[in-house]
Amino acid sequence: MTKFIQPIILCGGSGTRLWPVSRQSLPKQFVPMFEGKSLFELTLERIGGQKARVFFKERGFDIAGNLICIGSAAHRYHICEILSRSEIPTKVILESVQKNTAFAMVVGALVAEKINENSILIFCPSDHYIKNEKDYLESIALGLRNVSQKSIFTL
């Protein structure tokens, strides 16, 4: 039986840690730092791109048709601009007031439950640089083999 994975991309943040490159109006996850791509773009590709979908399919997992992205309404233009260049289908949730990670995870879980109540949730921060994508995906696969449905898997 194929297990269903629902990636939830956490793309909020206040832009306070990598000044002057990152700032409140343009947090680091939206800055094109890696061959013209942002950390947010790399996260989308890494967990929702065709390579990831094939990788997980070969291991008995299906990635949701739409990734869920949760971010600040203040950064909606950055989020929408990046998603418009992407071929990865995404459902976007915008927070009108920043409530931090735990709140975003709860909202993501509630939305994911409406999509498929039996999915395994993977919360992926979009402000991390992950150099070795293969090891990253292998780590997720290892974790997925050790959780049951209606579980939360956090990276």
Side-chain angles (χ1 to χ4, degrees), residues 20-58:
V21 173
S22 178
R23 52 202 178 280
Q24 190 172 6
S25 63
L26 187 64
K28 69 182 175 186
Q29 65 268 26
F30 304 122
V31 177
M33 292 190 271
F34 302 95
E35 297 179 20
K37 292 186 178 182
S38 67
L39 292 169
F40 178 51
E41 286 174 276
L42 294 175
T43 303
L44 288 167
E45 291 172 3
R46 185 170 44 249
I47 197 68
Q50 191 58 31
K51 208 161 54 168
R53 290 179 185 278
V54 168
F55 175 89
F56 287 113
K57 186 71 161 178
E58 291 171 349

Coordinates of all heavy atoms in Angstrom, one line a residue, residues 20-58:
P20 N 23.2 42.5 5.9 CA 22.3 43.3 5.2 C 21.6 42.6 4.0 O 20.7 43.1 3.4 CB 23.1 44.5 4.7 CG 24.5 43.9 4.4 CD 24.6 42.8 5.5
V21 N 22.1 41.4 3.7 CA 21.4 40.6 2.6 C 20.0 40.4 2.9 O 19.1 40.5 2.0 CB 22.2 39.3 2.3 CG1 21.5 38.5 1.3 CG2 23.6 39.6 1.9
S22 N 19.7 39.9 4.1 CA 18.4 39.6 4.5 C 17.8 40.7 5.4 O 18.6 41.2 6.2 CB 18.4 38.3 5.3 OG 17.1 37.9 5.8
R23 N 16.6 41.1 5.2 CA 16.0 42.2 6.0 C 14.5 41.9 6.0 O 14.0 41.0 5.4 CB 16.3 43.5 5.4 CG 16.0 43.6 3.9 CD 16.7 44.8 3.2 NE 16.5 44.8 1.8 CZ 17.0 44.1 0.9 NH1 17.9 43.1 1.2 NH2 16.7 44.2 -0.4
Q24 N 13.8 42.7 6.8 CA 12.4 42.5 7.0 C 11.6 42.4 5.7 O 10.7 41.6 5.6 CB 11.8 43.6 8.0 CG 10.4 43.3 8.4 CD 10.0 44.3 9.5 OE1 10.6 45.2 9.8 NE2 8.8 44.0 10.0
S25 N 11.9 43.3 4.8 CA 11.2 43.3 3.5 C 11.6 42.1 2.6 O 10.9 41.8 1.6 CB 11.3 44.6 2.8 OG 12.7 44.8 2.5
L26 N 12.8 41.5 2.8 CA 13.2 40.5 2.0 C 14.1 39.5 2.8 O 15.3 39.5 2.8 CB 14.1 41.0 0.8 CG 14.6 40.0 -0.2 CD1 13.4 39.4 -1.0 CD2 15.6 40.7 -1.2
P27 N 13.4 38.6 3.5 CA 14.1 37.6 4.4 C 14.9 36.7 3.5 O 14.7 36.5 2.3 CB 12.9 36.8 5.0 CG 11.8 37.7 5.0 CD 11.9 38.5 3.7
K28 N 15.9 36.0 4.1 CA 16.9 35.3 3.4 C 16.3 34.2 2.5 O 16.9 33.8 1.5 CB 17.9 34.7 4.4 CG 17.4 33.6 5.3 CD 18.5 33.1 6.2 CE 17.9 32.1 7.2 NZ 18.9 31.7 8.2
Q29 N 15.2 33.6 2.9 CA 14.7 32.5 2.1 C 14.2 32.9 0.7 O 14.0 32.1 -0.2 CB 13.5 31.8 2.8 CG 12.3 32.6 3.1 CD 12.3 33.2 4.4 OE1 13.4 33.5 5.0 NE2 11.2 33.5 5.0
F30 N 14.0 34.3 0.5 CA 13.6 34.8 -0.8 C 14.7 35.5 -1.6 O 14.5 35.9 -2.7 CB 12.4 35.8 -0.6 CG 11.3 35.2 0.1 CD1 10.8 35.8 1.3 CD2 10.6 34.1 -0.3 CE1 9.8 35.2 2.0 CE2 9.5 33.5 0.4 CZ 9.1 34.1 1.5
V31 N 15.9 35.5 -1.0 CA 17.0 36.2 -1.7 C 17.7 35.2 -2.7 O 18.0 34.1 -2.3 CB 18.1 36.7 -0.7 CG1 19.3 37.3 -1.4 CG2 17.5 37.7 0.3
P32 N 17.8 35.5 -4.0 CA 18.4 34.6 -4.9 C 19.9 34.5 -4.7 O 20.7 35.3 -5.3 CB 18.0 35.2 -6.3 CG 17.8 36.7 -6.0 CD 17.3 36.8 -4.6
M33 N 20.4 33.6 -3.9 CA 21.8 33.5 -3.5 C 22.5 32.4 -4.2 O 23.7 32.3 -4.2 CB 21.9 33.3 -2.0 CG 21.5 34.5 -1.2 SD 22.0 34.3 0.5 CE 20.5 33.5 1.2
F34 N 21.8 31.4 -4.7 CA 22.4 30.2 -5.2 C 22.1 30.0 -6.7 O 21.1 29.5 -7.1 CB 22.0 29.0 -4.4 CG 22.3 29.1 -3.0 CD1 21.3 29.6 -2.1 CD2 23.5 28.8 -2.4 CE1 21.6 29.8 -0.8 CE2 23.8 29.0 -1.1 CZ 22.8 29.5 -0.3
E35 N 23.0 30.5 -7.6 CA 22.9 30.4 -9.0 C 21.5 31.0 -9.4 O 20.8 30.4 -10.2 CB 23.0 29.0 -9.5 CG 24.4 28.4 -9.3 CD 24.6 27.0 -9.7 OE1 23.8 26.5 -10.6 OE2 25.5 26.3 -9.3
G36 N 21.2 32.1 -8.8 CA 20.0 32.8 -9.2 C 18.7 32.3 -8.5 O 17.6 32.8 -8.7
K37 N 18.9 31.3 -7.6 CA 17.7 30.7 -6.9 C 17.8 31.0 -5.5 O 18.9 31.1 -4.9 CB 17.7 29.2 -7.1 CG 17.4 28.8 -8.6 CD 17.2 27.3 -8.7 CE 16.9 26.9 -10.1 NZ 16.6 25.5 -10.2
S38 N 16.6 31.1 -4.9 CA 16.5 31.4 -3.4 C 16.4 30.1 -2.7 O 16.2 29.0 -3.3 CB 15.2 32.2 -3.2 OG 14.1 31.5 -3.4
L39 N 16.6 30.2 -1.4 CA 16.4 29.0 -0.5 C 15.0 28.4 -0.6 O 14.8 27.2 -0.6 CB 16.8 29.3 0.9 CG 18.2 29.6 1.2 CD1 18.4 30.2 2.6 CD2 19.1 28.4 1.1
F40 N 14.0 29.3 -0.8 CA 12.6 28.9 -0.9 C 12.5 28.0 -2.2 O 11.9 27.0 -2.2 CB 11.7 30.1 -0.9 CG 10.3 29.8 -1.1 CD1 9.6 28.8 -0.4 CD2 9.5 30.5 -2.1 CE1 8.2 28.6 -0.6 CE2 8.2 30.3 -2.3 CZ 7.5 29.3 -1.5
E41 N 13.0 28.5 -3.3 CA 13.0 27.8 -4.6 C 13.7 26.4 -4.5 O 13.1 25.4 -5.0 CB 13.7 28.6 -5.7 CG 12.9 29.8 -6.2 CD 13.6 30.6 -7.2 OE1 14.5 31.4 -6.8 OE2 13.4 30.4 -8.4
L42 N 14.8 26.4 -3.8 CA 15.6 25.2 -3.7 C 14.8 24.2 -2.8 O 14.8 23.0 -3.1 CB 16.9 25.4 -3.1 CG 17.9 26.2 -4.0 CD1 19.2 26.5 -3.2 CD2 18.2 25.5 -5.3
T43 N 14.1 24.7 -1.8 CA 13.3 23.8 -0.9 C 12.1 23.2 -1.7 O 11.8 22.0 -1.6 CB 12.7 24.6 0.3 OG1 13.9 25.1 1.0 CG2 11.9 23.7 1.2
L44 N 11.4 24.0 -2.5 CA 10.3 23.5 -3.4 C 10.8 22.4 -4.3 O 10.2 21.4 -4.4 CB 9.8 24.7 -4.2 CG 8.9 25.7 -3.5 CD1 8.7 26.9 -4.4 CD2 7.6 25.1 -3.0
E45 N 11.9 22.7 -5.0 CA 12.4 21.7 -5.9 C 12.9 20.4 -5.2 O 12.6 19.3 -5.7 CB 13.6 22.3 -6.7 CG 13.2 23.4 -7.6 CD 14.4 24.1 -8.3 OE1 15.6 23.7 -8.0 OE2 14.2 25.0 -9.0
R46 N 13.5 20.6 -4.1 CA 14.1 19.4 -3.3 C 13.0 18.5 -2.8 O 13.2 17.3 -2.9 CB 14.9 20.0 -2.1 CG 15.6 19.0 -1.3 CD 16.6 19.6 -0.3 NE 16.1 20.7 0.4 CZ 16.5 21.9 0.3 NH1 17.4 22.3 -0.5 NH2 15.9 22.9 1.1
I47 N 11.9 19.0 -2.4 CA 10.8 18.1 -1.8 C 9.6 17.9 -2.8 O 8.9 16.9 -2.6 CB 10.4 18.6 -0.4 CG1 9.7 17.5 0.3 CG2 9.5 19.9 -0.6 CD1 10.5 16.4 0.8
G48 N 9.5 18.8 -3.7 CA 8.3 18.7 -4.6 C 8.6 18.5 -6.1 O 7.7 18.4 -6.9
G49 N 9.8 18.6 -6.4 CA 10.2 18.5 -7.8 C 10.1 17.0 -8.4 O 9.9 16.1 -7.6
Q50 N 10.3 16.9 -9.6 CA 10.1 15.6 -10.3 C 11.1 14.5 -9.7 O 10.8 13.4 -9.5 CB 10.3 15.7 -11.8 CG 9.9 14.5 -12.6 CD 8.4 14.0 -12.3 OE1 7.5 14.8 -12.0 NE2 8.2 12.7 -12.3
K51 N 12.3 15.0 -9.5 CA 13.3 14.1 -8.9 C 12.9 13.5 -7.6 O 13.0 12.3 -7.3 CB 14.7 14.8 -8.8 CG 15.9 13.9 -9.0 CD 17.2 14.6 -9.3 CE 17.6 15.7 -8.4 NZ 18.9 16.2 -8.6
A52 N 12.4 14.4 -6.7 CA 11.9 13.9 -5.4 C 10.7 13.0 -5.5 O 10.6 12.0 -4.8 CB 11.6 15.1 -4.5
R53 N 9.8 13.3 -6.4 CA 8.6 12.5 -6.6 C 9.0 11.1 -7.1 O 8.4 10.1 -6.6 CB 7.6 13.2 -7.6 CG 7.0 14.4 -7.0 CD 6.1 15.1 -8.0 NE 5.6 16.4 -7.4 CZ 4.6 16.5 -6.6 NH1 3.9 15.4 -6.2 NH2 4.2 17.6 -6.1
V54 N 9.9 11.0 -8.0 CA 10.4 9.7 -8.5 C 11.1 8.9 -7.4 O 10.8 7.7 -7.1 CB 11.3 9.8 -9.7 CG1 12.0 8.5 -10.1 CG2 10.5 10.3 -10.9
F55 N 11.9 9.6 -6.6 CA 12.7 9.0 -5.5 C 11.7 8.4 -4.5 O 11.9 7.2 -4.1 CB 13.5 10.1 -4.8 CG 14.2 9.7 -3.6 CD1 15.5 9.1 -3.7 CD2 13.6 9.8 -2.4 CE1 16.2 8.7 -2.6 CE2 14.3 9.3 -1.2 CZ 15.6 8.8 -1.3
F56 N 10.7 9.1 -4.1 CA 9.8 8.6 -3.1 C 8.9 7.5 -3.7 O 8.5 6.6 -3.0 CB 9.0 9.7 -2.5 CG 9.8 10.5 -1.5 CD1 10.2 11.8 -1.8 CD2 10.4 9.9 -0.4 CE1 11.0 12.6 -0.9 CE2 11.2 10.6 0.5 CZ 11.5 12.0 0.2
K57 N 8.5 7.7 -4.9 CA 7.6 6.7 -5.6 C 8.3 5.3 -5.6 O 7.7 4.3 -5.3 CB 7.3 7.1 -7.0 CG 6.3 6.3 -7.7 CD 4.9 6.5 -7.1 CE 3.8 6.0 -8.1 NZ 2.5 6.1 -7.4
E58 N 9.6 5.3 -5.9 CA 10.4 4.1 -5.9 C 10.4 3.4 -4.5 O 10.7 2.2 -4.4 CB 11.8 4.4 -6.4 CG 11.8 4.7 -7.9 CD 13.2 5.2 -8.3 OE1 14.1 5.4 -7.5 OE2 13.4 5.3 -9.6

